[in-house]
Amino acid sequence: IPLLNNEQVHLADANEISHALGLANMKNPILCGYLEMYNGADAEDKITLPVNMDARFLIGPEGAHLNISGISGLAAKTSYAMFLLKSIQDKCIDNSLEIDNDVAFVLFNVKGKDLLALDEPNEFESREEKEETFALYDMLGMSKEPFKNVTYYYPYSNRNIWNTYQDKGALEDQQALDKAFLYKYEYEDDKDNLDLMFASLDDPTQSTDSIINYIISNQGGFGGLTDWEDFLEEVQKRCKAGMQGDKEISVASWRKFNRIIRKSIYRNPIFGRVHGEKETRINDALKNIKKNEVHVIDIAKLNEDMQGFVFGDAVRTIYDLQLGQFATDNENYTPPSKIVIFIDELNKYASSDAPKSSPILRQVLDIAERGRSLGIILFAAEQFRSAIHDRVTGNCSTHAYGRTNAIEIAKRDYSYIPSVYKNMMTRQKQGEYIIQNPVFRSLLNIKFPKPIYKQHKQ
């Protein structure tokens, strides 16, 4: 509102700022960062104000799903997602949310060792940095402890192939504390998910789809098999000219299928029988998930087809769990009312140019459109928001914009954002985000503190 001539003005205090931005008396508060006001003013005039959003618009039931975008490295997308998840877990453990405190978390580690020490305290570079960070957590009213109830799942490895960036000693230490398992895929139980390995493949003739249906329905010699080696041999037989089988599937199609499937399965120790207490299947682990648990699935060192396979298997398991598809031996077991899934590099699975037939894309779209009602919440991150399928970003109630470039901002995905915020996006510093949520009267430029958990140097 324009001011009248000669009227007196003064800097707003914390209460006035909170009221003006619609932050006062927030229901079901979940911390999403803090505001710093009047940086150019004297020290006594500067204001640091915690910012809460209504949990009902972040993890449901009013709205759900979070999308985080920004340039790699500078935007610190993973760190911000972990800050929000830490805020949610703190509230759930304290039972201080007015909505359900019954929330579990499934996170995918897609880069190096980013998320492989979430339950270990941060090793700050200096005492001053530690004190400054702890002071921010105190001001925000958050605990200064790392994540609790964390379990890690690593791709099974052997002497010849080490399928994770985690150090062998660190992995064994986690196993000794019963908080790490090696996951495998068994032929009898996991062959039904083979379609997930071909999610990025365009299949206009549906020949691959026909082959997978042929295998899953145990036609030919595929019904009596018990391991992956026999499976690969059976596929190899179908690649020979004159081989009798399904008349609608050509030898050329079998050869194409064979090339792709062997690249992931041949001599990969992940594909084998589960032995002992330290090994498991992702499906078996997730269908017993409990509230406040954090399950970290490491896929960083796998090839892209295998990353998609593991991600798709986990998401499919969570979806079936929330639909009540699993019979359980424990009559007292009840799935968490909400399961939050975090995945970085979402563009690999739900890009705007992904094949429409992709089973992983279908699953992500299902979660974006119907997950809220099932209690499945998607927290996703990517460098360029414009690369993500419209039906995914369109169903996210919360958006976090980190630093990005002018070419990206010029795209239609940003057309509704006021120009003042677009300009801010091109020069944001690390640890800053512009947040959009239905409960805020306008977009907010917030900051968040450094992670409280251990971060591995890349």
Side-chain angles (χ1 to χ4, degrees), residues 151-414:
T151 306
Y152 301 94
Y153 301 92
Y154 297 97
Y156 183 83
S157 302
N158 57 22
R159 289 184 195 173
N160 299 322
I161 299 176
W162 191 249
N163 278 316
T164 174
Y165 289 106
Q166 180 65 293
D167 303 321
K168 190 173 183 181
L171 194 158
E172 289 173 348
D173 289 344
Q174 289 176 339
Q175 283 185 311
L177 295 169
D178 286 329
K179 60 181 184 180
F181 297 88
L182 303 174
Y183 63 82
K184 283 182 171 179
Y185 288 96
E186 297 184 328
Y187 179 78
E188 296 98 321
D189 295 315
D190 295 305
K191 77 175 190 296
D192 291 359
N193 289 329
L194 282 175
D195 59 323
L196 301 171
M197 210 172 284
F198 298 84
S200 60
L201 180 71
D202 226 340
D203 187 27
T205 62
Q206 295 188 320
S207 58
T208 303
D209 202 33
S210 299
I211 290 174
I212 291 169
N213 287 331
Y214 186 84
I215 293 167
I216 290 174
S217 58
N218 294 324
Q219 296 184 57
F222 290 101
L225 306 180
T226 57
D227 62 45
W228 294 102
E229 287 183 11
D230 293 341
F231 164 73
L232 290 177
E233 284 182 19
E234 190 66 31
V235 172
Q236 197 87 38
K237 289 178 187 175
R238 310 278 155 185
C239 299
K240 296 176 183 176
M243 179 67 189
Q244 295 297 312
D246 191 318
K247 295 178 181 178
E248 295 179 3
I249 305 174
S250 67
V251 171
S253 296
W254 277 107
R255 288 173 178 169
K256 180 181 177 181
F257 178 85
N258 182 51
R259 283 195 305 273
I260 295 171
I261 206 77
R262 286 183 75 84
K263 184 175 70 173
S264 294
I265 294 179
Y266 184 62
R267 290 188 175 176
N268 189 340
I270 297 174
F271 293 91
R273 290 195 174 277
V274 172
H275 297 290
E277 295 179 354
K278 302 299 181 185
E279 297 176 15
T280 187
R281 294 172 58 241
I282 293 293
N283 179 287
D284 291 335
L286 293 184
K287 69 184 183 184
N288 293 301
I289 192 170
K290 299 179 181 66
K291 71 175 184 178
N292 295 330
E293 288 184 344
V294 180
H295 292 245
V296 181
I297 301 172
D298 180 31
I299 58 175
K301 205 173 182 182
L302 303 179
N303 66 44
E304 283 201 17
D305 290 340
M306 273 304 299
Q307 286 185 349
F309 181 70
V310 177
F311 173 70
D313 175 44
V315 171
R316 187 173 281 178
T317 299
I318 292 167
Y319 207 78
D320 288 345
L321 174 67
Q322 297 300 73
L323 284 172
Q325 301 285 354
F326 296 122
T328 176
D329 296 331
N330 183 1
E331 294 179 359
N332 297 321
Y333 174 73
T334 304
S337 59
K338 292 182 175 62
I339 300 176
V340 179
I341 300 170
F342 170 70
I343 182 73
D344 196 357
E345 299 180 7
L346 181 66
N347 49 290
K348 287 184 179 179
Y349 314 107
S351 68
S352 51
D353 56 359
K356 290 182 180 179
S357 60
S358 165
I360 296 179
L361 174 62
R362 287 200 301 270
Q363 285 181 193
V364 174
L365 291 176
D366 263 353
I367 289 174
E369 294 172 344
R370 288 175 281 280
R372 177 173 56 87
S373 61
L374 293 172
I376 306 173
I377 314 302
L378 181 67
F379 280 25
E382 73 286 328
Q383 289 188 43
F384 300 115
R385 172 192 166 88
S386 62
I388 304 303
H389 200 291
D390 289 346
R391 284 164 59 190
V392 177
T393 52
N395 280 287
C396 290
S397 64
T398 307
H399 302 270
Y401 304 94
R403 184 172 173 181
T404 190
N405 59 48
I407 297 173
E408 169 71 1
I409 288 170
K411 296 184 177 177
R412 68 179 180 85
D413 297 71
Y414 299 81

Side-chain angles (χ1 to χ4, degrees), residues 431-446:
E432 292 184 351
Y433 271 94
I434 292 173
I435 306 297
Q436 183 180 34
N437 183 275
V439 299
F440 298 148
R441 291 177 182 168
S442 67
L443 280 75
L444 294 180
N445 186 25
I446 58 93

Side-chain angles (χ1 to χ4, degrees), residues 39-223:
N39 283 332
D42 296 332
E44 62 270 16
D45 290 326
K46 289 182 182 178
I47 291 175
T48 303
L49 182 70
V51 176
N52 292 296
M53 68 172 68
D54 191 330
R56 294 174 302 171
F57 290 87
L58 179 64
I59 57 174
E62 301 298 333
H65 314 311
L66 164 74
N67 185 260
I68 308 173
S69 56
I71 293 172
S72 181
L74 279 176
K77 299 180 291 295
T78 300
S79 296
Y80 184 60
M82 293 305 106
F83 172 76
L84 279 175
L85 294 179
K86 174 76 169 60
S87 176
I88 295 169
Q89 192 187 51
D90 278 1
K91 290 279 188 179
C92 291
I93 288 175
D94 291 344
N95 287 315
S96 55
L97 278 180
E98 292 179 20
I99 58 172
D100 283 330
N101 292 283
D102 194 4
V103 184
F105 310 89
V106 177
L107 321 178
F108 291 88
N109 180 63
V110 301
K111 290 182 293 189
K113 297 188 282 187
D114 269 7
L115 304 179
L116 301 183
L118 289 181
D119 59 339
E120 298 178 41
N122 197 350
E123 297 172 349
F124 293 98
E125 293 183 2
S126 67
R127 190 173 192 174
E128 292 76 16
E129 183 185 45
K130 181 178 180 179
E131 290 174 353
E132 184 181 321
T133 303
F134 276 23
L136 282 172
Y137 277 85
D138 283 335
M139 182 272 295
L140 294 170
M142 291 178 66
S143 77
K144 299 188 288 292
E145 297 175 346
F147 284 88
K148 297 178 181 177
N149 309 322
V150 183
T151 306
Y152 301 94
Y153 301 92
Y154 297 97
Y156 183 83
S157 302
N158 57 22
R159 289 184 195 173
N160 299 322
I161 299 176
W162 191 249
N163 278 316
T164 174
Y165 289 106
Q166 180 65 293
D167 303 321
K168 190 173 183 181
L171 194 158
E172 289 173 348
D173 289 344
Q174 289 176 339
Q175 283 185 311
L177 295 169
D178 286 329
K179 60 181 184 180
F181 297 88
L182 303 174
Y183 63 82
K184 283 182 171 179
Y185 288 96
E186 297 184 328
Y187 179 78
E188 296 98 321
D189 295 315
D190 295 305
K191 77 175 190 296
D192 291 359
N193 289 329
L194 282 175
D195 59 323
L196 301 171
M197 210 172 284
F198 298 84
S200 60
L201 180 71
D202 226 340
D203 187 27
T205 62
Q206 295 188 320
S207 58
T208 303
D209 202 33
S210 299
I211 290 174
I212 291 169
N213 287 331
Y214 186 84
I215 293 167
I216 290 174
S217 58
N218 294 324
Q219 296 184 57
F222 290 101

